[in-house]
Amino acid sequence: MQQTRIAVVGSANMDLVGTAAALPRPGETLLGDDFVMLPGGKGANQAVAAVRAGASCVFLGAIGSDAFGVTLKARITAAGVDTGHLRVVYGSSGVALVMVGGAGEHAILVTPGANDAFTGLTEGELAAVREADVLVAQLEVPVETVTAAALAARSAGTRVVLNAAPARPVPAELLAATDLLVVNETEARALTGRGRDDPGALLAAVPRAVLTIGGDGAWYVERDRPAVHVPAVKVDVVDSTAAGDAFTAALAVAWGEGRELVEAVHWAAAAGAACVRRLGASVALPRRVEIDELFSRPV
Protein backbone atom coordinates (compact mmCIF):
# COMPACT_ATOMS: atom_id res chain seq x y z
CA MET A 1 0.00 0.00 0.00
CA GLN A 2 1.40 3.38 -1.03
CA GLN A 3 1.87 5.85 1.82
CA THR A 4 -0.73 8.61 1.82
CA ARG A 5 0.62 12.14 1.39
CA ILE A 6 -1.11 14.65 3.67
CA ALA A 7 -0.71 18.42 3.64
CA VAL A 8 -1.95 20.20 6.75
CA VAL A 9 -2.67 23.93 6.76
CA GLY A 10 -3.25 25.17 10.27
CA SER A 11 -2.12 26.45 13.62
CA ALA A 12 0.75 25.66 15.96
CA ASN A 13 0.48 26.59 19.64
CA MET A 14 2.32 25.93 22.85
CA ASP A 15 -0.19 24.25 25.16
CA LEU A 16 0.05 25.16 28.85
CA VAL A 17 -1.99 22.41 30.49
CA GLY A 18 -3.20 22.36 34.09
CA THR A 19 -5.22 19.55 35.66
CA ALA A 20 -7.62 19.67 38.60
CA ALA A 21 -10.47 17.67 40.10
CA ALA A 22 -12.95 20.10 38.53
CA LEU A 23 -12.88 23.11 36.24
CA PRO A 24 -13.10 26.52 37.97
CA ARG A 25 -16.24 28.58 37.51
CA PRO A 26 -15.98 32.27 36.53
CA GLY A 27 -14.34 34.16 39.39
CA GLU A 28 -13.28 30.97 41.20
CA THR A 29 -9.72 29.92 42.02
CA LEU A 30 -8.93 26.23 42.52
CA LEU A 31 -5.75 24.38 43.43
CA GLY A 32 -4.69 22.15 40.58
CA ASP A 33 -2.97 18.77 40.51
CA ASP A 34 -0.37 19.02 37.77
CA PHE A 35 1.05 21.19 34.97
CA VAL A 36 2.71 20.32 31.67
CA MET A 37 3.86 22.37 28.67
CA LEU A 38 3.30 20.62 25.34
CA PRO A 39 3.27 21.50 21.63
CA GLY A 40 -0.24 21.77 20.25
CA GLY A 41 -2.55 23.73 17.98
CA LYS A 42 -5.08 21.98 15.78
CA GLY A 43 -2.86 22.13 12.71
CA ALA A 44 0.26 20.81 14.41
CA ASN A 45 -1.75 18.16 16.27
CA GLN A 46 -3.35 16.90 13.06
CA ALA A 47 0.00 16.86 11.26
CA VAL A 48 1.60 14.76 14.01
CA ALA A 49 -1.49 12.55 14.21
CA ALA A 50 -1.35 11.92 10.46
CA VAL A 51 2.26 10.76 10.68
CA ARG A 52 1.51 8.50 13.63
CA ALA A 53 -1.44 7.06 11.70
CA GLY A 54 0.89 6.06 8.89
CA ALA A 55 0.99 8.97 6.42
CA SER A 56 3.74 11.29 5.28
CA CYS A 57 2.85 14.88 6.12
CA VAL A 58 3.95 18.41 5.34
CA PHE A 59 2.83 21.12 7.75
CA LEU A 60 2.11 24.65 6.54
CA GLY A 61 1.74 27.25 9.27
CA ALA A 62 3.60 29.90 11.30
CA ILE A 63 5.44 30.07 14.60
CA GLY A 64 6.84 33.05 16.47
CA SER A 65 10.45 34.14 16.95
CA ASP A 66 10.20 33.38 20.68
CA ALA A 67 11.44 30.40 22.68
CA PHE A 68 8.07 28.68 22.26
CA GLY A 69 8.55 28.81 18.49
CA VAL A 70 11.96 27.12 18.71
CA THR A 71 10.50 24.35 20.84
CA LEU A 72 7.44 23.94 18.63
CA LYS A 73 9.46 23.47 15.45
CA ALA A 74 11.87 21.04 17.13
CA ARG A 75 9.05 18.91 18.56
CA ILE A 76 6.97 18.85 15.35
CA THR A 77 10.02 17.95 13.27
CA ALA A 78 11.04 15.24 15.72
CA ALA A 79 7.59 13.70 15.29
CA GLY A 80 8.38 13.06 11.63
CA VAL A 81 6.47 15.97 10.10
CA ASP A 82 8.02 17.88 7.19
CA THR A 83 8.45 21.43 8.53
CA GLY A 84 10.44 22.75 5.58
CA HIS A 85 7.71 25.28 4.80
CA LEU A 86 6.97 26.29 8.42
CA ARG A 87 7.24 30.08 8.66
CA VAL A 88 8.91 31.98 11.48
CA VAL A 89 7.44 35.46 12.05
CA TYR A 90 8.62 38.13 14.47
CA GLY A 91 6.73 38.11 17.75
CA SER A 92 5.00 35.53 19.91
CA SER A 93 3.90 32.05 18.98
CA GLY A 94 0.35 30.91 19.51
CA VAL A 95 -0.43 29.84 23.06
CA ALA A 96 -3.29 27.71 24.41
CA LEU A 97 -4.22 27.78 28.10
CA VAL A 98 -5.83 24.39 28.75
CA MET A 99 -7.65 23.31 31.92
CA VAL A 100 -8.55 19.64 32.29
CA GLY A 101 -11.05 18.41 34.89
CA GLY A 102 -11.18 15.09 36.66
CA ALA A 103 -13.70 13.56 34.23
CA GLY A 104 -11.59 14.47 31.19
CA GLU A 105 -13.60 17.60 30.33
CA HIS A 106 -11.63 20.67 29.32
CA ALA A 107 -11.74 24.42 28.76
CA ILE A 108 -9.29 26.15 26.39
CA LEU A 109 -8.32 29.78 25.78
CA VAL A 110 -6.18 30.33 22.66
CA THR A 111 -4.16 33.44 21.85
CA PRO A 112 -3.27 33.10 18.15
CA GLY A 113 0.06 34.95 18.02
CA ALA A 114 1.95 34.02 14.85
CA ASN A 115 -1.00 32.01 13.54
CA ASP A 116 -2.78 35.27 12.66
CA ALA A 117 0.18 36.26 10.47
CA PHE A 118 -0.09 33.14 8.30
CA THR A 119 -1.40 34.87 5.17
CA GLY A 120 -0.52 35.04 1.49
CA LEU A 121 0.51 31.48 0.63
CA THR A 122 3.74 31.29 -1.35
CA GLU A 123 4.13 29.31 -4.55
CA GLY A 124 6.15 26.72 -2.64
CA GLU A 125 3.38 26.31 -0.07
CA LEU A 126 0.75 26.03 -2.80
CA ALA A 127 2.87 23.42 -4.59
CA ALA A 128 3.03 21.36 -1.38
CA VAL A 129 -0.77 21.41 -1.26
CA ARG A 130 -1.12 20.40 -4.92
CA GLU A 131 1.32 17.50 -4.51
CA ALA A 132 -0.62 15.95 -1.60
CA ASP A 133 -3.28 13.26 -1.79
CA VAL A 134 -5.37 14.99 0.89
CA LEU A 135 -5.37 18.54 2.28
CA VAL A 136 -6.46 18.85 5.91
CA ALA A 137 -7.33 22.31 7.23
CA GLN A 138 -8.98 23.95 10.23
CA LEU A 139 -10.03 27.49 11.17
CA GLU A 140 -7.40 28.58 13.72
CA VAL A 141 -5.55 30.50 10.98
CA PRO A 142 -7.01 33.22 8.72
CA VAL A 143 -9.90 31.81 6.72
CA GLU A 144 -8.56 33.49 3.59
CA THR A 145 -5.45 31.30 3.86
CA VAL A 146 -7.52 28.16 4.26
CA THR A 147 -9.67 29.13 1.28
CA ALA A 148 -6.62 29.73 -0.92
CA ALA A 149 -5.20 26.34 0.03
CA ALA A 150 -8.52 24.59 -0.63
CA LEU A 151 -8.87 26.20 -4.05
CA ALA A 152 -5.32 25.16 -4.94
CA ALA A 153 -6.08 21.62 -3.80
CA ARG A 154 -9.30 21.51 -5.81
CA SER A 155 -7.49 22.67 -8.96
CA ALA A 156 -4.97 19.83 -8.61
CA GLY A 157 -7.41 17.04 -7.74
CA THR A 158 -6.26 16.92 -4.10
CA ARG A 159 -9.07 15.96 -1.73
CA VAL A 160 -10.01 18.63 0.82
CA VAL A 161 -10.95 17.70 4.40
CA LEU A 162 -12.10 20.75 6.35
CA ASN A 163 -12.36 20.53 10.12
CA ALA A 164 -14.46 23.68 10.63
CA ALA A 165 -13.14 24.36 14.12
CA PRO A 166 -13.37 26.54 16.05
CA ALA A 167 -16.92 27.54 15.21
CA ARG A 168 -16.91 30.64 13.02
CA PRO A 169 -18.45 31.80 9.73
CA VAL A 170 -17.20 29.78 6.76
CA PRO A 171 -17.20 31.42 3.31
CA ALA A 172 -19.33 29.75 0.64
CA GLU A 173 -16.24 29.61 -1.58
CA LEU A 174 -14.42 27.45 0.97
CA LEU A 175 -17.37 25.12 1.50
CA ALA A 176 -17.72 24.72 -2.27
CA ALA A 177 -14.10 23.52 -2.42
CA THR A 178 -14.55 21.06 0.48
CA ASP A 179 -14.89 17.34 -0.25
CA LEU A 180 -15.43 16.23 3.37
CA LEU A 181 -16.49 18.40 6.30
CA VAL A 182 -15.76 17.37 9.90
CA VAL A 183 -17.57 19.20 12.72
CA ASN A 184 -18.82 18.68 16.24
CA GLU A 185 -22.30 19.74 17.37
CA THR A 186 -21.28 23.28 18.30
CA GLU A 187 -19.67 23.79 14.91
CA ALA A 188 -22.58 22.16 13.07
CA ARG A 189 -25.05 24.49 14.77
CA ALA A 190 -22.89 27.49 13.83
CA LEU A 191 -23.10 26.42 10.19
CA THR A 192 -26.68 25.15 9.91
CA GLY A 193 -28.52 25.81 13.18
CA ARG A 194 -28.96 22.02 13.56
CA GLY A 195 -27.06 19.35 15.52
CA ARG A 196 -27.37 15.59 15.92
CA ASP A 197 -31.11 15.90 15.34
CA ASP A 198 -30.42 16.63 11.66
CA PRO A 199 -26.85 15.85 10.52
CA GLY A 200 -28.08 15.85 6.93
CA ALA A 201 -28.46 19.64 7.14
CA LEU A 202 -24.70 19.84 6.52
CA LEU A 203 -25.21 18.49 3.01
CA ALA A 204 -26.68 21.77 1.87
CA ALA A 205 -23.10 23.08 1.75
CA VAL A 206 -20.85 20.06 1.17
CA PRO A 207 -21.17 16.64 -0.53
CA ARG A 208 -20.04 14.64 2.54
CA ALA A 209 -19.79 15.37 6.25
CA VAL A 210 -18.99 13.79 9.59
CA LEU A 211 -20.72 15.09 12.71
CA THR A 212 -18.89 13.95 15.85
CA ILE A 213 -20.96 13.62 19.02
CA GLY A 214 -18.39 12.74 21.69
CA GLY A 215 -19.11 9.58 23.63
CA ASP A 216 -22.07 8.81 21.35
CA GLY A 217 -19.81 8.41 18.30
CA ALA A 218 -20.39 10.16 14.98
CA TRP A 219 -22.79 10.49 12.07
CA TYR A 220 -21.55 10.13 8.50
CA VAL A 221 -23.76 11.74 5.86
CA GLU A 222 -23.40 11.83 2.09
CA ARG A 223 -25.70 13.13 -0.61
CA ASP A 224 -28.07 10.51 -2.01
CA ARG A 225 -27.17 7.98 0.71
CA PRO A 226 -28.74 7.17 4.10
CA ALA A 227 -27.02 8.63 7.16
CA VAL A 228 -24.80 6.16 9.04
CA HIS A 229 -24.24 6.22 12.80
CA VAL A 230 -20.78 5.11 13.89
CA PRO A 231 -20.64 4.25 17.61
CA ALA A 232 -17.79 5.40 19.83
CA VAL A 233 -15.19 2.92 21.04
CA LYS A 234 -15.61 2.69 24.80
CA VAL A 235 -12.45 3.46 26.82
CA ASP A 236 -11.60 5.15 30.13
CA VAL A 237 -11.35 8.88 29.42
CA VAL A 238 -8.40 10.82 30.86
CA ASP A 239 -8.27 13.89 28.59
CA SER A 240 -10.39 14.60 25.52
CA THR A 241 -8.41 17.68 24.40
CA ALA A 242 -6.92 16.26 21.17
CA ALA A 243 -9.52 13.58 20.38
CA GLY A 244 -11.01 15.60 17.55
CA ASP A 245 -7.59 16.16 16.00
CA ALA A 246 -6.74 12.45 16.18
CA PHE A 247 -10.13 11.66 14.63
CA THR A 248 -9.78 14.13 11.74
CA ALA A 249 -6.24 13.11 10.87
CA ALA A 250 -6.99 9.39 10.95
CA LEU A 251 -10.07 9.96 8.81
CA ALA A 252 -7.98 11.78 6.18
CA VAL A 253 -5.29 9.08 6.24
CA ALA A 254 -7.80 6.25 5.87
CA TRP A 255 -9.62 8.01 3.03
CA GLY A 256 -6.32 8.72 1.31
CA GLU A 257 -5.45 5.04 1.55
CA GLY A 258 -8.60 4.19 -0.39
CA ARG A 259 -10.90 2.96 2.37
CA GLU A 260 -14.63 3.45 1.99
CA LEU A 261 -15.63 6.46 4.03
CA VAL A 262 -17.87 4.61 6.48
CA GLU A 263 -14.96 2.31 7.32
CA ALA A 264 -12.68 5.35 7.51
CA VAL A 265 -15.01 6.94 10.07
CA HIS A 266 -14.92 3.74 12.16
CA TRP A 267 -11.11 3.81 12.05
CA ALA A 268 -11.12 7.49 12.97
CA ALA A 269 -13.39 6.74 15.94
CA ALA A 270 -10.81 4.23 17.14
CA ALA A 271 -8.11 6.92 16.83
CA GLY A 272 -10.16 9.36 18.89
CA ALA A 273 -10.74 6.71 21.57
CA ALA A 274 -7.05 5.83 21.70
CA CYS A 275 -6.21 9.50 22.17
CA VAL A 276 -8.44 10.18 25.18
CA ARG A 277 -6.68 7.54 27.26
CA ARG A 278 -3.68 9.87 27.88
CA LEU A 279 -3.16 13.41 29.19
CA GLY A 280 -2.13 16.13 26.79
CA ALA A 281 -2.57 16.96 23.14
CA SER A 282 0.32 16.00 20.85
CA VAL A 283 1.76 13.46 23.30
CA ALA A 284 -1.59 11.63 23.43
CA LEU A 285 -1.99 11.24 19.66
CA PRO A 286 -2.09 7.50 18.91
CA ARG A 287 0.14 5.45 16.66
CA ARG A 288 -1.27 3.21 13.96
CA VAL A 289 -0.89 0.01 15.98
CA GLU A 290 -3.03 1.51 18.78
CA ILE A 291 -5.71 2.58 16.31
CA ASP A 292 -5.77 -0.84 14.67
CA GLU A 293 -6.09 -2.55 18.06
CA LEU A 294 -9.17 -0.56 19.05
CA PHE A 295 -10.61 -0.74 15.53
CA SER A 296 -10.54 -4.54 15.70
CA ARG A 297 -12.46 -4.66 19.00
CA PRO A 298 -16.09 -5.75 18.85
CA VAL A 299 -18.41 -2.77 19.38
mmCIF file of all heavy atoms in Angstrom, residues 2-3 12 19-20 25 37 51 62 65 68 73 90 97 127 129-130 140 145 169 217 221 239 244-246 286:
data_model
loop_
_atom_site.group_PDB
_atom_site.id
_atom_site.type_symbol
_atom_site.label_atom_id
_atom_site.label_comp_id
_atom_site.label_asym_id
_atom_site.label_seq_id
_atom_site.Cartn_x
_atom_site.Cartn_y
_atom_site.Cartn_z
ATOM 1 N N GLN A 2 0.621 2.156 -0.938
ATOM 2 C CA GLN A 2 1.396 3.382 -1.025
ATOM 3 C C GLN A 2 1.044 4.312 0.123
ATOM 4 O O GLN A 2 -0.114 4.458 0.504
ATOM 5 C CB GLN A 2 1.135 4.081 -2.361
ATOM 6 C CG GLN A 2 2.007 5.309 -2.588
ATOM 7 C CD GLN A 2 1.810 5.892 -3.967
ATOM 8 O OE1 GLN A 2 1.091 5.337 -4.791
ATOM 9 N NE2 GLN A 2 2.445 7.017 -4.232
ATOM 10 N N GLN A 3 2.085 4.942 0.690
ATOM 11 C CA GLN A 3 1.869 5.846 1.821
ATOM 12 C C GLN A 3 1.099 7.083 1.372
ATOM 13 O O GLN A 3 1.424 7.711 0.364
ATOM 14 C CB GLN A 3 3.209 6.259 2.413
ATOM 15 C CG GLN A 3 3.112 6.992 3.730
ATOM 16 C CD GLN A 3 4.478 7.299 4.319
ATOM 17 O OE1 GLN A 3 5.416 7.636 3.600
ATOM 18 N NE2 GLN A 3 4.600 7.176 5.627
ATOM 19 N N ALA A 12 -0.169 26.291 15.006
ATOM 20 C CA ALA A 12 0.748 25.663 15.956
ATOM 21 C C ALA A 12 0.741 26.510 17.218
ATOM 22 O O ALA A 12 0.921 27.736 17.154
ATOM 23 C CB ALA A 12 2.158 25.579 15.378
ATOM 24 N N THR A 19 -4.166 20.514 35.320
ATOM 25 C CA THR A 19 -5.217 19.549 35.660
ATOM 26 C C THR A 19 -5.718 19.813 37.085
ATOM 27 O O THR A 19 -4.977 20.278 37.950
ATOM 28 C CB THR A 19 -4.704 18.103 35.567
ATOM 29 O OG1 THR A 19 -3.667 17.895 36.544
ATOM 30 C CG2 THR A 19 -4.143 17.821 34.183
ATOM 31 N N ALA A 20 -7.001 19.502 37.284
ATOM 32 C CA ALA A 20 -7.621 19.673 38.601
ATOM 33 C C ALA A 20 -8.797 18.716 38.704
ATOM 34 O O ALA A 20 -9.238 18.133 37.703
ATOM 35 C CB ALA A 20 -8.076 21.110 38.807
ATOM 36 N N ARG A 25 -15.163 27.741 38.035
ATOM 37 C CA ARG A 25 -16.241 28.576 37.506
ATOM 38 C C ARG A 25 -15.741 30.011 37.390
ATOM 39 O O ARG A 25 -14.703 30.356 37.971
ATOM 40 C CB ARG A 25 -17.454 28.497 38.423
ATOM 41 C CG ARG A 25 -18.098 27.110 38.455
ATOM 42 C CD ARG A 25 -19.099 26.998 39.576
ATOM 43 N NE ARG A 25 -18.442 27.070 40.887
ATOM 44 C CZ ARG A 25 -19.057 26.907 42.047
ATOM 45 N NH1 ARG A 25 -20.366 26.680 42.061
ATOM 46 N NH2 ARG A 25 -18.398 26.982 43.172
ATOM 47 N N MET A 37 3.770 21.468 29.819
ATOM 48 C CA MET A 37 3.857 22.367 28.671
ATOM 49 C C MET A 37 4.149 21.509 27.450
ATOM 50 O O MET A 37 5.173 20.813 27.399
ATOM 51 C CB MET A 37 4.966 23.399 28.889
ATOM 52 C CG MET A 37 5.034 24.464 27.807
ATOM 53 S SD MET A 37 6.203 25.788 28.224
ATOM 54 C CE MET A 37 7.765 24.902 28.045
ATOM 55 N N VAL A 51 1.020 11.552 10.759
ATOM 56 C CA VAL A 51 2.260 10.757 10.678
ATOM 57 C C VAL A 51 2.147 9.507 11.536
ATOM 58 O O VAL A 51 2.498 8.398 11.110
ATOM 59 C CB VAL A 51 3.467 11.614 11.118
ATOM 60 C CG1 VAL A 51 4.707 10.749 11.305
ATOM 61 C CG2 VAL A 51 3.741 12.711 10.087
ATOM 62 N N ALA A 62 2.659 28.870 10.843
ATOM 63 C CA ALA A 62 3.598 29.901 11.295
ATOM 64 C C ALA A 62 3.819 29.800 12.793
ATOM 65 O O ALA A 62 2.878 29.548 13.558
ATOM 66 C CB ALA A 62 3.076 31.294 10.937
ATOM 67 N N SER A 65 8.993 34.095 16.798
ATOM 68 C CA SER A 65 10.450 34.145 16.954
ATOM 69 C C SER A 65 10.862 33.952 18.411
ATOM 70 O O SER A 65 12.028 34.153 18.758
ATOM 71 C CB SER A 65 10.973 35.487 16.431
ATOM 72 O OG SER A 65 10.333 36.576 17.089
ATOM 73 N N PHE A 68 9.111 29.661 22.556
ATOM 74 C CA PHE A 68 8.067 28.684 22.256
ATOM 75 C C PHE A 68 8.165 28.231 20.801
ATOM 76 O O PHE A 68 7.972 27.055 20.489
ATOM 77 C CB PHE A 68 6.687 29.285 22.507
ATOM 78 C CG PHE A 68 6.289 29.371 23.961
ATOM 79 C CD1 PHE A 68 5.203 30.151 24.343
ATOM 80 C CD2 PHE A 68 6.978 28.678 24.940
ATOM 81 C CE1 PHE A 68 4.813 30.231 25.672
ATOM 82 C CE2 PHE A 68 6.599 28.755 26.276
ATOM 83 C CZ PHE A 68 5.516 29.534 26.642
ATOM 84 N N LYS A 73 8.894 24.017 16.677
ATOM 85 C CA LYS A 73 9.457 23.470 15.450
ATOM 86 C C LYS A 73 10.257 22.200 15.733
ATOM 87 O O LYS A 73 10.158 21.210 15.005
ATOM 88 C CB LYS A 73 10.339 24.492 14.741
ATOM 89 C CG LYS A 73 10.876 23.960 13.407
ATOM 90 C CD LYS A 73 11.540 25.026 12.577
ATOM 91 C CE LYS A 73 11.966 24.454 11.227
ATOM 92 N NZ LYS A 73 12.590 25.482 10.367
ATOM 93 N N TYR A 90 8.181 37.402 13.279
ATOM 94 C CA TYR A 90 8.621 38.127 14.470
ATOM 95 C C TYR A 90 7.458 38.271 15.453
ATOM 96 O O TYR A 90 6.344 38.639 15.090
ATOM 97 C CB TYR A 90 9.152 39.507 14.097
ATOM 98 C CG TYR A 90 9.648 40.280 15.291
ATOM 99 C CD1 TYR A 90 10.880 39.985 15.867
ATOM 100 C CD2 TYR A 90 8.862 41.268 15.862
ATOM 101 C CE1 TYR A 90 11.330 40.677 16.974
ATOM 102 C CE2 TYR A 90 9.299 41.975 16.977
ATOM 103 C CZ TYR A 90 10.536 41.664 17.529
ATOM 104 O OH TYR A 90 10.971 42.347 18.643
ATOM 105 N N LEU A 97 -4.105 28.033 26.663
ATOM 106 C CA LEU A 97 -4.218 27.776 28.096
ATOM 107 C C LEU A 97 -5.316 26.731 28.275
ATOM 108 O O LEU A 97 -6.483 26.995 28.002
ATOM 109 C CB LEU A 97 -4.568 29.066 28.837
ATOM 110 C CG LEU A 97 -3.629 30.256 28.576
ATOM 111 C CD1 LEU A 97 -4.143 31.502 29.289
ATOM 112 C CD2 LEU A 97 -2.214 29.931 29.008
ATOM 113 N N ALA A 127 2.401 24.642 -3.922
ATOM 114 C CA ALA A 127 2.867 23.422 -4.591
ATOM 115 C C ALA A 127 2.796 22.226 -3.646
ATOM 116 O O ALA A 127 2.441 21.116 -4.053
ATOM 117 C CB ALA A 127 4.299 23.618 -5.092
ATOM 118 N N VAL A 129 0.642 21.790 -1.311
ATOM 119 C CA VAL A 129 -0.769 21.413 -1.263
ATOM 120 C C VAL A 129 -1.150 20.596 -2.492
ATOM 121 O O VAL A 129 -1.802 19.551 -2.404
ATOM 122 C CB VAL A 129 -1.655 22.672 -1.151
ATOM 123 C CG1 VAL A 129 -3.125 22.319 -1.380
ATOM 124 C CG2 VAL A 129 -1.474 23.328 0.215
ATOM 125 N N ARG A 130 -0.740 21.062 -3.668
ATOM 126 C CA ARG A 130 -1.119 20.396 -4.920
ATOM 127 C C ARG A 130 -0.514 18.995 -5.030
ATOM 128 O O ARG A 130 -1.081 18.119 -5.686
ATOM 129 C CB ARG A 130 -0.678 21.243 -6.108
ATOM 130 C CG ARG A 130 -1.359 22.609 -6.201
ATOM 131 C CD ARG A 130 -0.971 23.327 -7.472
ATOM 132 N NE ARG A 130 -1.478 24.698 -7.511
ATOM 133 C CZ ARG A 130 -0.712 25.777 -7.363
ATOM 134 N NH1 ARG A 130 0.599 25.645 -7.193
ATOM 135 N NH2 ARG A 130 -1.243 26.979 -7.397
ATOM 136 N N GLU A 140 -8.173 27.826 12.730
ATOM 137 C CA GLU A 140 -7.399 28.584 13.720
ATOM 138 C C GLU A 140 -6.381 29.499 13.067
ATOM 139 O O GLU A 140 -5.602 30.155 13.765
ATOM 140 C CB GLU A 140 -6.711 27.632 14.704
ATOM 141 C CG GLU A 140 -7.663 27.007 15.698
ATOM 142 C CD GLU A 140 -6.977 26.172 16.762
ATOM 143 O OE1 GLU A 140 -5.811 25.758 16.555
ATOM 144 O OE2 GLU A 140 -7.606 25.928 17.803
ATOM 145 N N THR A 145 -6.553 32.227 4.130
ATOM 146 C CA THR A 145 -5.452 31.305 3.856
ATOM 147 C C THR A 145 -5.982 29.901 3.605
ATOM 148 O O THR A 145 -5.540 29.204 2.686
ATOM 149 C CB THR A 145 -4.470 31.308 5.037
ATOM 150 O OG1 THR A 145 -4.010 32.640 5.262
ATOM 151 C CG2 THR A 145 -3.287 30.399 4.769
ATOM 152 N N PRO A 169 -17.883 31.784 11.080
ATOM 153 C CA PRO A 169 -18.450 31.795 9.732
ATOM 154 C C PRO A 169 -17.480 31.205 8.711
ATOM 155 O O PRO A 169 -16.277 31.456 8.772
ATOM 156 C CB PRO A 169 -18.694 33.290 9.480
ATOM 157 C CG PRO A 169 -18.810 33.896 10.839
ATOM 158 C CD PRO A 169 -17.875 33.132 11.708
ATOM 159 N N GLY A 217 -20.344 8.798 19.604
ATOM 160 C CA GLY A 217 -19.814 8.406 18.301
ATOM 161 C C GLY A 217 -19.880 9.520 17.278
ATOM 162 O O GLY A 217 -19.533 10.676 17.568
ATOM 163 N N VAL A 221 -22.685 11.447 6.811
ATOM 164 C CA VAL A 221 -23.758 11.744 5.860
ATOM 165 C C VAL A 221 -23.140 12.057 4.501
ATOM 166 O O VAL A 221 -22.073 12.656 4.407
ATOM 167 C CB VAL A 221 -24.643 12.914 6.333
ATOM 168 C CG1 VAL A 221 -25.464 12.527 7.545
ATOM 169 C CG2 VAL A 221 -23.819 14.164 6.637
ATOM 170 N N ASP A 239 -8.325 12.519 29.114
ATOM 171 C CA ASP A 239 -8.271 13.887 28.591
ATOM 172 C C ASP A 239 -8.750 13.871 27.143
ATOM 173 O O ASP A 239 -8.153 13.211 26.296
ATOM 174 C CB ASP A 239 -6.833 14.413 28.680
ATOM 175 C CG ASP A 239 -6.677 15.841 28.157
ATOM 176 O OD1 ASP A 239 -7.692 16.465 27.812
ATOM 177 O OD2 ASP A 239 -5.531 16.317 28.099
ATOM 178 N N GLY A 244 -10.522 15.174 18.849
ATOM 179 C CA GLY A 244 -11.010 15.603 17.548
ATOM 180 C C GLY A 244 -9.910 15.681 16.512
ATOM 181 O O GLY A 244 -10.121 15.364 15.328
ATOM 182 N N ASP A 245 -8.722 16.089 16.929
ATOM 183 C CA ASP A 245 -7.594 16.165 16.004
ATOM 184 C C ASP A 245 -7.135 14.764 15.579
ATOM 185 O O ASP A 245 -6.832 14.532 14.403
ATOM 186 C CB ASP A 245 -6.432 16.914 16.644
ATOM 187 C CG ASP A 245 -6.773 18.373 16.914
ATOM 188 O OD1 ASP A 245 -7.617 18.927 16.190
ATOM 189 O OD2 ASP A 245 -6.202 18.945 17.851
ATOM 190 N N ALA A 246 -7.093 13.832 16.523
ATOM 191 C CA ALA A 246 -6.740 12.455 16.180
ATOM 192 C C ALA A 246 -7.766 11.870 15.219
ATOM 193 O O ALA A 246 -7.416 11.181 14.247
ATOM 194 C CB ALA A 246 -6.657 11.606 17.450
ATOM 195 N N PRO A 286 -2.422 8.936 18.977
ATOM 196 C CA PRO A 286 -2.095 7.503 18.913
ATOM 197 C C PRO A 286 -1.308 7.110 17.670
ATOM 198 O O PRO A 286 -1.403 7.758 16.610
ATOM 199 C CB PRO A 286 -3.473 6.844 18.898
ATOM 200 C CG PRO A 286 -4.337 7.846 18.192
ATOM 201 C CD PRO A 286 -3.835 9.196 18.645
#
